[in-house]
Structures are given as structure tokens and as C-alpha cells.
Amino acid sequence: MLGAGYLGATHAACLASLGLRVHAVDVDAGRVAMLASGRAPFHEPGLDALLAEGVSSGRLTFGTDLHVAAETADVHFVCVGTPPSADGHLDLSALWQLVDDLGPLLREPCLVVGKSTVPVGTAARVRDRLRGLAPAGGDVAVAWNPEFLREGHGVADSLRPERLVLGVEGRHADQQLRALYHPLVAAGVPVVSTDLQTAELSKVSANAMLAGRISMVNAFAEVCETTGADIGDLVTVLGLDSRIGPDFLSPGLGFGGSCLPKDTRGLVAQGEDLGLPCVARLWRQVDAVNQHQRERTVALAEELLGGRCADRRVTVLGAAFKAGSDDVRDSPALDVAGRLHDLGAAVCVYDPAATAAARRARPDLHYALDVLTACRGSELVLVLTDWDEFRLLDPVAVGEVVAVPRVLDGRLLLDPDKWQRAGWQLRALGRAIG
Ligand code: UGA
């Protein structure tokens, strides 16, 4: 496993649990030491147990030396990060660095399998560059096997995926990968064998479809808010249509994280690069609708505070980009908290898991270790991440500590009747003023 970040570490532990011998390499010695002790350097349910089991069985090892991996493995999974750059293209520098380091070490026939998210056409370029550098030359095969795992569900999504996508050139690589994933194939996981380009595109397309759904539902939510229609009932109606289905229809502050925003913007950049302006326009609009949710949340907060944020005490419940995660990358919640701070509000943030990461990203905000401390003296509480802890809040207890019982529900988590009965002024994204 080349790269032991979120994707590589999870995939390594899962493959080891299937009985394979896995050596994972990363440049970060601290991360490697932690993983080698059987602990994940990030929050992922079930992963620590798999890591500990893999390490103690001897099937799972970690290191920083690429030579060990290059000389001993038959299959090399490429799991390096491909973060977005400012212009929307992906930053592939870690990928090309790895290719340049790995290529000269490949002396025996082997299969290099990309898992990182890349623009279409990258796999073929990786193949050509590796073959040019490797002593094994044309005996180095390249495949692409994208990963669809969600943060917070990484282990289950890896061991019981909804599909395996194998982008291959020729039968041998296909057979090698099917053999490697044999326990999953035997358990009935559908396998789609395809070409390299389709495999690369399937990852980006799946994320973009999800992003598009969320932006569509949020556009409907804004119409509901303006017309008095009920967004909750509307998504129930939509979800009961079997062609649409009920998942990924939760309205609110929109999507964030390291994947959906990056892939949506990546499609804008690819559409432009490929001379397909209509494609670029579609995904630019999905991104714009998503960003608009943050802007209108800030505007609504300002309106609730009587038009002025400066020196007002505000509580933000939630910093993670979604419940079940400690990740704050492109987090809508933390973004809104930061914007309110920039408008002069004194913002106190509470999150059940992401406080440490949020503090590193936005050290200028205040943080509390529990909800009641975060809400003490507050003039407006914003609920911005969909943690169950917030859904289950007792409005009476919270009402006793705030200065003004006023709440903005950015994830449609709170029961409006319950909160209003407890004396709260409640506004929710997507709901007209009650
Ligand atoms: C996403 C995809 O779901 C995975 O299949 C994919 O493998 C992964 O990206 C990746 O590319 O690595 P993830 O970023 O972990 O997974 O998060 P999601 O569960 O997809 O949620 C993304 C964002 O959408 C969150 O901010 C969430 O709050 C928001 N969301 C989700 C909504 O606003 N409404 C919904 O109905 C669902």
C-alpha cells in the first residue's frame, strides 16, 4: 500500500483482514509508528480493532522505505492524496513523485493499482511513465480500482462494498484483482471490469451525482422557505419514488469534506480542459448552490441578530463536515463559524469529535468542551453538523443557560414544536417562518 493516509490505512487493514499480507509505506514516520502500534491516527469506527488484529497476526506491517514494498509486493496499491489546488484542478504532485520514486525500483513483473482520485487519462500516463522508468519495462501493468468508502463507514464500505470497479488492460490484471478480492467476489459483491478511463471517471461521477442531489434538494429547500411549502414532506415524497430513492436527500447547509467539493470542482476544470463548456457549467452551478447555503446561513444569522453581528455572542454546534467524523476539511459548519467571527461576533464552537482539528484550522475561534458551556450567555445558537447529540438536545436545559433563546437549525435536526414550546425562537434552513 503506497500511502497510509485515510484511504491507504483503511484499505491496508481491510485487505489484511481478508488474509492477504500487506506492507504499507508512508513518508510520515509518526503516522507509520502509530499505525504499526495498531492505532489509527484518525477517527474511524472499527479500524483500530482491524489494525491491531492485522499487526499482531504479522500480516500487516508498516514502514517508510519504498524499497521494501517495491521488492516484495506483487501488487502495489497507490493511495497517495490528490488534494484540490486553487484553480479546481487536482494537485497530482504526490502521485508523480511516487511514480518517479517507484518506477526505477520495479525489477520484476508487477501490477500497480491506482486508488487515488484522478482526472481521466491519468492512469494511462502513470502506465507510460512507470514503464519508461522501470527495469521491468512493459512487464509493469497498471490498473485503476477506485474506492467509494465514506468517512465514518470506511471499514464496512471496504469489506461490504456495493460494487468493485476494476479498470484494467487485459485479462491477466482482471484475474489478479478478482483473485485478490476473492472473499468479496464470492460473497456476491458486483464486479464491473472496464477500461482505465471509465474506472477513473466512475469515482468522480459517483461523488458528483451525490453532490448534485444535495444541491438540488437545497434548491428545493429555498423554494419551500420562500413559498411556505414543507421541505421535510417534500423529500419524503421524492424519496418514495423508487427511481429517486430516499438517500442523500437531507437538506441544509450543504456538502463539505475532502471529496464532494473537490470532485465537483474537478469536473468543472475537466469540462473546461476538454472543451465541454456545458459540462463545466453544470458542475459550477452545483458548487455555487452549495456555497450559497453557507452565505444564506450567515445572512439569516445576521438577520436574527437584528442586522449586526459585531460583539454578539454566538454558539456554533458542530465543526466536523458531517456527523461521525473528526474531519473539518471544507467543513460548512466551521466555514460559517469563521464567517460570523469575521463579521465581529464572539463565536464559541462545540463539536463532539472535531474540536482538536477545528482548533488547528481556526485557532481564532473559542471552543467549549460541552454544549451547555458553549451556549452559556449566547444570543444565537446555530446547529450546523448533523450529530445525534444535537438532535437529542433538551431545549429546556439549553434555554436556561443562553442569554436569548434563539436557534438557527442548519441541518433540520430539531423538532420545531418541542423547541418553540420551550420558548425558543427557531428558524431552520428550508422552513418558512412558522
Ligand atoms: C464521499 C462519498 O459518499 C464516498 O462514496 C466517497 O468514497 C468519498 O466521498 C470519497 O471520495 O472518498 P464522505 O466525503 O465521507 O464520502 O462524506 P458523505 O457521507 O458523502 O457526505 C458528504 C457531505 O454531504 C457532508 O458534508 C454531509 O453532511 C453532506 N450531506 C450528505 C448532505 O448535506 N445531505 C445529505 O443528504 C447527505
mmCIF file of all heavy atoms in Angstrom, residues 43 316-320 322-326 349-356 358 368-371 385-391:
data_model
loop_
_atom_site.group_PDB
_atom_site.id
_atom_site.type_symbol
_atom_site.label_atom_id
_atom_site.label_comp_id
_atom_site.label_asym_id
_atom_site.label_seq_id
_atom_site.Cartn_x
_atom_site.Cartn_y
_atom_site.Cartn_z
ATOM 1 N N HIS A 43 -10.232 9.317 13.331
ATOM 2 C CA HIS A 43 -11.421 8.683 13.913
ATOM 3 C C HIS A 43 -12.118 7.826 12.853
ATOM 4 O O HIS A 43 -12.606 8.346 11.858
ATOM 5 C CB HIS A 43 -12.345 9.824 14.383
ATOM 6 C CG HIS A 43 -13.669 9.381 14.896
ATOM 7 N ND1 HIS A 43 -13.837 8.884 16.171
ATOM 8 C CD2 HIS A 43 -14.898 9.360 14.324
ATOM 9 C CE1 HIS A 43 -15.107 8.597 16.354
ATOM 10 N NE2 HIS A 43 -15.769 8.867 15.254
ATOM 11 N N VAL A 316 -21.839 27.998 17.910
ATOM 12 C CA VAL A 316 -21.957 27.107 16.749
ATOM 13 C C VAL A 316 -21.808 25.676 17.248
ATOM 14 O O VAL A 316 -20.765 25.304 17.801
ATOM 15 C CB VAL A 316 -20.898 27.439 15.673
ATOM 16 C CG1 VAL A 316 -20.842 26.343 14.614
ATOM 17 C CG2 VAL A 316 -21.228 28.779 15.021
ATOM 18 N N LEU A 317 -22.870 24.893 17.069
ATOM 19 C CA LEU A 317 -22.816 23.476 17.439
ATOM 20 C C LEU A 317 -22.460 22.678 16.196
ATOM 21 O O LEU A 317 -23.240 22.611 15.245
ATOM 22 C CB LEU A 317 -24.152 23.030 18.035
ATOM 23 C CG LEU A 317 -24.554 23.743 19.334
ATOM 24 C CD1 LEU A 317 -25.881 23.193 19.863
ATOM 25 C CD2 LEU A 317 -23.461 23.608 20.407
ATOM 26 N N GLY A 318 -21.253 22.138 16.197
ATOM 27 C CA GLY A 318 -20.767 21.370 15.053
ATOM 28 C C GLY A 318 -19.584 22.052 14.405
ATOM 29 O O GLY A 318 -19.600 23.264 14.191
ATOM 30 N N ALA A 319 -18.541 21.262 14.158
ATOM 31 C CA ALA A 319 -17.372 21.753 13.417
ATOM 32 C C ALA A 319 -16.985 20.742 12.342
ATOM 33 O O ALA A 319 -16.456 21.105 11.296
ATOM 34 C CB ALA A 319 -16.192 21.992 14.356
ATOM 35 N N ALA A 320 -17.276 19.459 12.571
ATOM 36 C CA ALA A 320 -16.956 18.418 11.585
ATOM 37 C C ALA A 320 -17.800 18.636 10.329
ATOM 38 O O ALA A 320 -18.891 19.188 10.399
ATOM 39 C CB ALA A 320 -17.260 17.049 12.169
ATOM 40 N N LYS A 322 -19.335 16.450 8.750
ATOM 41 C CA LYS A 322 -20.550 15.642 8.900
ATOM 42 C C LYS A 322 -20.449 14.900 10.221
ATOM 43 O O LYS A 322 -19.346 14.773 10.791
ATOM 44 C CB LYS A 322 -20.711 14.656 7.743
ATOM 45 C CG LYS A 322 -19.625 13.588 7.697
ATOM 46 C CD LYS A 322 -19.948 12.527 6.652
ATOM 47 C CE LYS A 322 -18.937 11.388 6.707
ATOM 48 N NZ LYS A 322 -19.240 10.324 5.762
ATOM 49 N N ALA A 323 -21.586 14.377 10.688
ATOM 50 C CA ALA A 323 -21.577 13.607 11.937
ATOM 51 C C ALA A 323 -20.744 12.344 11.766
ATOM 52 O O ALA A 323 -20.611 11.820 10.661
ATOM 53 C CB ALA A 323 -23.011 13.238 12.312
ATOM 54 N N GLY A 324 -20.156 11.888 12.876
ATOM 55 C CA GLY A 324 -19.398 10.638 12.841
ATOM 56 C C GLY A 324 -17.974 10.815 12.369
ATOM 57 O O GLY A 324 -17.272 9.836 12.127
ATOM 58 N N SER A 325 -17.533 12.075 12.220
ATOM 59 C CA SER A 325 -16.189 12.330 11.694
ATOM 60 C C SER A 325 -15.513 13.405 12.527
ATOM 61 O O SER A 325 -16.171 14.262 13.108
ATOM 62 C CB SER A 325 -16.328 12.801 10.243
ATOM 63 O OG SER A 325 -15.104 13.305 9.779
ATOM 64 N N ASP A 326 -14.171 13.370 12.557
ATOM 65 C CA ASP A 326 -13.440 14.464 13.212
ATOM 66 C C ASP A 326 -12.743 15.322 12.159
ATOM 67 O O ASP A 326 -11.812 16.047 12.451
ATOM 68 C CB ASP A 326 -12.424 13.919 14.226
ATOM 69 C CG ASP A 326 -11.379 13.020 13.573
ATOM 70 O OD1 ASP A 326 -11.486 12.744 12.368
ATOM 71 O OD2 ASP A 326 -10.441 12.589 14.280
ATOM 72 N N VAL A 349 -17.495 27.476 19.664
ATOM 73 C CA VAL A 349 -17.812 26.270 18.892
ATOM 74 C C VAL A 349 -17.734 25.050 19.804
ATOM 75 O O VAL A 349 -16.822 24.926 20.622
ATOM 76 C CB VAL A 349 -16.781 26.092 17.743
ATOM 77 C CG1 VAL A 349 -17.085 24.838 16.926
ATOM 78 C CG2 VAL A 349 -16.751 27.323 16.846
ATOM 79 N N TYR A 350 -18.688 24.134 19.625
ATOM 80 C CA TYR A 350 -18.584 22.830 20.289
ATOM 81 C C TYR A 350 -18.806 21.732 19.249
ATOM 82 O O TYR A 350 -19.707 21.829 18.417
ATOM 83 C CB TYR A 350 -19.632 22.683 21.408
ATOM 84 C CG TYR A 350 -19.764 21.240 21.837
ATOM 85 C CD1 TYR A 350 -18.760 20.618 22.584
ATOM 86 C CD2 TYR A 350 -20.853 20.469 21.427
ATOM 87 C CE1 TYR A 350 -18.851 19.274 22.932
ATOM 88 C CE2 TYR A 350 -20.947 19.124 21.776
ATOM 89 C CZ TYR A 350 -19.946 18.539 22.523
ATOM 90 O OH TYR A 350 -20.023 17.204 22.845
ATOM 91 N N ASP A 351 -17.984 20.701 19.303
ATOM 92 C CA ASP A 351 -18.186 19.526 18.444
ATOM 93 C C ASP A 351 -17.786 18.291 19.245
ATOM 94 O O ASP A 351 -16.774 18.308 19.953
ATOM 95 C CB ASP A 351 -17.324 19.614 17.181
ATOM 96 C CG ASP A 351 -17.670 18.523 16.185
ATOM 97 O OD1 ASP A 351 -17.208 17.366 16.368
ATOM 98 O OD2 ASP A 351 -18.424 18.799 15.232
ATOM 99 N N PRO A 352 -18.571 17.208 19.152
ATOM 100 C CA PRO A 352 -18.259 16.014 19.945
ATOM 101 C C PRO A 352 -16.927 15.360 19.575
ATOM 102 O O PRO A 352 -16.345 14.656 20.393
ATOM 103 C CB PRO A 352 -19.413 15.044 19.637
ATOM 104 C CG PRO A 352 -20.474 15.853 18.993
ATOM 105 C CD PRO A 352 -19.830 17.069 18.398
ATOM 106 N N ALA A 353 -16.425 15.552 18.340
ATOM 107 C CA ALA A 353 -15.196 14.837 17.933
ATOM 108 C C ALA A 353 -14.150 15.712 17.259
ATOM 109 O O ALA A 353 -12.984 15.330 17.211
ATOM 110 C CB ALA A 353 -15.563 13.681 16.995
ATOM 111 N N ALA A 354 -14.564 16.858 16.720
ATOM 112 C CA ALA A 354 -13.649 17.577 15.822
ATOM 113 C C ALA A 354 -13.019 18.822 16.433
ATOM 114 O O ALA A 354 -12.433 19.634 15.713
ATOM 115 C CB ALA A 354 -14.399 17.946 14.539
ATOM 116 N N THR A 355 -13.117 18.972 17.756
ATOM 117 C CA THR A 355 -12.610 20.212 18.357
ATOM 118 C C THR A 355 -11.116 20.403 18.109
ATOM 119 O O THR A 355 -10.670 21.506 17.751
ATOM 120 C CB THR A 355 -12.907 20.234 19.874
ATOM 121 O OG1 THR A 355 -14.310 20.058 20.028
ATOM 122 C CG2 THR A 355 -12.494 21.542 20.511
ATOM 123 N N ALA A 356 -10.333 19.341 18.275
ATOM 124 C CA ALA A 356 -8.880 19.493 18.118
ATOM 125 C C ALA A 356 -8.545 19.921 16.684
ATOM 126 O O ALA A 356 -7.743 20.848 16.465
ATOM 127 C CB ALA A 356 -8.174 18.187 18.464
ATOM 128 N N ALA A 358 -10.542 21.398 14.569
ATOM 129 C CA ALA A 358 -11.085 22.739 14.319
ATOM 130 C C ALA A 358 -10.169 23.809 14.918
ATOM 131 O O ALA A 358 -9.903 24.839 14.304
ATOM 132 C CB ALA A 358 -12.490 22.848 14.918
ATOM 133 N N ALA A 368 -15.555 25.125 23.286
ATOM 134 C CA ALA A 368 -16.015 24.633 24.584
ATOM 135 C C ALA A 368 -16.031 23.108 24.534
ATOM 136 O O ALA A 368 -16.089 22.517 23.452
ATOM 137 C CB ALA A 368 -17.420 25.161 24.864
ATOM 138 N N LEU A 369 -15.986 22.495 25.729
ATOM 139 C CA LEU A 369 -15.912 21.035 25.763
ATOM 140 C C LEU A 369 -17.270 20.372 25.937
ATOM 141 O O LEU A 369 -17.376 19.147 25.947
ATOM 142 C CB LEU A 369 -14.961 20.587 26.889
ATOM 143 C CG LEU A 369 -13.497 21.015 26.660
ATOM 144 C CD1 LEU A 369 -12.612 20.595 27.819
ATOM 145 C CD2 LEU A 369 -12.975 20.436 25.335
ATOM 146 N N ASP A 370 -18.334 21.172 26.105
ATOM 147 C CA ASP A 370 -19.680 20.598 26.148
ATOM 148 C C ASP A 370 -20.685 21.636 25.672
ATOM 149 O O ASP A 370 -20.379 22.832 25.584
ATOM 150 C CB ASP A 370 -20.026 20.105 27.565
ATOM 151 C CG ASP A 370 -19.992 21.247 28.554
ATOM 152 O OD1 ASP A 370 -21.014 21.947 28.674
ATOM 153 O OD2 ASP A 370 -18.927 21.466 29.183
ATOM 154 N N VAL A 371 -21.890 21.161 25.363
ATOM 155 C CA VAL A 371 -22.912 22.024 24.765
ATOM 156 C C VAL A 371 -23.290 23.173 25.687
ATOM 157 O O VAL A 371 -23.369 24.335 25.264
ATOM 158 C CB VAL A 371 -24.181 21.200 24.427
ATOM 159 C CG1 VAL A 371 -25.325 22.108 24.014
ATOM 160 C CG2 VAL A 371 -23.892 20.205 23.323
ATOM 161 N N THR A 385 -23.851 20.845 12.287
ATOM 162 C CA THR A 385 -23.420 19.488 11.895
ATOM 163 C C THR A 385 -24.471 18.519 12.428
ATOM 164 O O THR A 385 -25.016 18.732 13.513
ATOM 165 C CB THR A 385 -22.032 19.143 12.488
ATOM 166 O OG1 THR A 385 -21.099 20.139 12.074
ATOM 167 C CG2 THR A 385 -21.525 17.788 11.988
ATOM 168 N N ASP A 386 -24.728 17.446 11.670
ATOM 169 C CA ASP A 386 -25.879 16.581 11.971
ATOM 170 C C ASP A 386 -25.592 15.506 13.016
ATOM 171 O O ASP A 386 -26.032 14.355 12.878
ATOM 172 C CB ASP A 386 -26.389 15.937 10.668
ATOM 173 C CG ASP A 386 -25.296 15.179 9.900
ATOM 174 O OD1 ASP A 386 -24.105 15.497 10.094
ATOM 175 O OD2 ASP A 386 -25.629 14.294 9.092
ATOM 176 N N TRP A 387 -24.911 15.865 14.099
ATOM 177 C CA TRP A 387 -24.678 14.903 15.186
ATOM 178 C C TRP A 387 -25.982 14.579 15.910
ATOM 179 O O TRP A 387 -26.776 15.487 16.193
ATOM 180 C CB TRP A 387 -23.710 15.488 16.217
ATOM 181 C CG TRP A 387 -22.289 15.602 15.798
ATOM 182 C CD1 TRP A 387 -21.651 16.732 15.398
ATOM 183 C CD2 TRP A 387 -21.308 14.556 15.762
ATOM 184 N NE1 TRP A 387 -20.331 16.460 15.106
ATOM 185 C CE2 TRP A 387 -20.094 15.134 15.324
ATOM 186 C CE3 TRP A 387 -21.335 13.188 16.060
ATOM 187 C CZ2 TRP A 387 -18.917 14.391 15.181
ATOM 188 C CZ3 TRP A 387 -20.166 12.458 15.914
ATOM 189 C CH2 TRP A 387 -18.976 13.058 15.476
ATOM 190 N N ASP A 388 -26.167 13.300 16.279
ATOM 191 C CA ASP A 388 -27.351 12.907 17.062
ATOM 192 C C ASP A 388 -27.417 13.651 18.385
ATOM 193 O O ASP A 388 -28.500 13.943 18.888
ATOM 194 C CB ASP A 388 -27.317 11.391 17.339
ATOM 195 C CG ASP A 388 -27.988 10.635 16.211
ATOM 196 O OD1 ASP A 388 -28.733 11.265 15.426
ATOM 197 O OD2 ASP A 388 -27.740 9.418 16.095
ATOM 198 N N GLU A 389 -26.246 13.934 18.968
ATOM 199 C CA GLU A 389 -26.213 14.660 20.241
ATOM 200 C C GLU A 389 -27.010 15.967 20.135
ATOM 201 O O GLU A 389 -27.656 16.382 21.092
ATOM 202 C CB GLU A 389 -24.756 14.954 20.633
ATOM 203 C CG GLU A 389 -24.638 15.681 21.946
ATOM 204 C CD GLU A 389 -23.189 15.956 22.381
ATOM 205 O OE1 GLU A 389 -22.263 15.297 21.862
ATOM 206 O OE2 GLU A 389 -23.005 16.829 23.243
ATOM 207 N N PHE A 390 -26.980 16.605 18.985
ATOM 208 C CA PHE A 390 -27.707 17.878 18.824
ATOM 209 C C PHE A 390 -29.201 17.611 18.589
ATOM 210 O O PHE A 390 -30.052 18.334 19.072
ATOM 211 C CB PHE A 390 -27.112 18.690 17.673
ATOM 212 C CG PHE A 390 -25.630 18.979 17.829
ATOM 213 C CD1 PHE A 390 -24.824 19.191 16.718
ATOM 214 C CD2 PHE A 390 -25.043 19.034 19.088
ATOM 215 C CE1 PHE A 390 -23.470 19.452 16.851
ATOM 216 C CE2 PHE A 390 -23.680 19.290 19.244
ATOM 217 C CZ PHE A 390 -22.897 19.495 18.126
ATOM 218 N N ARG A 391 -29.488 16.553 17.843
ATOM 219 C CA ARG A 391 -30.890 16.178 17.592
ATOM 220 C C ARG A 391 -31.597 15.936 18.919
ATOM 221 O O ARG A 391 -32.759 16.276 19.086
ATOM 222 C CB ARG A 391 -30.901 14.900 16.748
ATOM 223 C CG ARG A 391 -32.217 14.594 16.052
ATOM 224 C CD ARG A 391 -32.197 13.175 15.458
ATOM 225 N NE ARG A 391 -31.056 12.891 14.612
ATOM 226 C CZ ARG A 391 -30.984 13.185 13.322
ATOM 227 N NH1 ARG A 391 -32.002 13.779 12.736
ATOM 228 N NH2 ARG A 391 -29.906 12.897 12.616
#
